[in-house]
């Protein structure tokens, strides 16, 4: 696995779908996406559910502990050589991961 992309989320289902879709649309094929739901009481889990059929997606729920704790939880699950951070309200351009991995290599 070349890259692990981490998305911590809490109470942003409106933005989360676009963030996840933008990561899954990357031109670089060798990555995993780890989403940590940091105790969202809203519809975030429902937004993530359709993406769980994709074998690149890992999903974890935890009690609310803050964005840093959620990011650290995701990092513990990461198996990639490189780590990319994507906030729940970010959208990645399609070549972002490919360019960053190429640069790091």
């Amino acid at each position: 696995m070349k890259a692990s992309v981490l998305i911590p989320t809490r109470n942003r289902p409106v933005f989360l779908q676009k963030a996840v879709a933008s990561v899954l649309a990357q031109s670089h094929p060798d990555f995993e996406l780890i989403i940590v739901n940091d105790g969202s009481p809203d519809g975030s889990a429902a937004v993530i559910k359709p993406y769980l059929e994709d074998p690149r997606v890992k999903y974890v729920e935890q009690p609310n502990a803050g964005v840093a704790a959620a990011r650290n939880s995701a990092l513990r699950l990461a198996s990639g050589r490189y780590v990319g951070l994507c906030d729940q309200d970010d959208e990645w351009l399609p070549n972002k991961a490919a360019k960053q991995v190429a640069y790091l290599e």
Side-chain angles (χ1 to χ4, degrees):
M1 185 75 51
K2 284 285 184 184
S4 297
V5 180
L6 317 180
I7 299 180
T9 187
R10 179 169 168 78
N11 295 338
R12 296 284 187 204
V14 174
F15 301 109
L16 183 59
Q17 185 175 9
K18 288 183 179 183
V20 172
S22 75
V23 172
L24 294 177
Q26 291 298 297
S27 62
H28 183 75
D30 193 15
F31 70 90
E32 65 184 351
L33 172 59
I34 304 168
I35 304 166
V36 176
N37 185 342
D38 190 38
S40 297
D42 62 6
S44 295
V47 168
I48 296 164
K49 188 175 181 178
Y51 297 106
L52 297 180
E53 295 177 17
D54 190 317
R56 299 172 294 176
V57 177
K58 294 180 184 177
Y59 175 65
V60 175
E61 292 183 354
Q62 68 181 29
N64 178 242
V67 68
R71 204 170 266 137
N72 285 335
S73 293
L75 188 56
R76 281 190 287 278
L77 296 172
S79 60
R81 181 172 182 192
Y82 306 115
V83 173
L85 304 177
C86 181
D87 288 333
Q88 64 192 353
D89 59 352
D90 287 349
E91 289 183 54
W92 281 17
L93 295 174
N95 293 322
K96 177 180 173 57
K99 287 181 179 182
Q100 289 186 321
V101 167
Y103 177 80
L104 292 168
E105 300 244 310

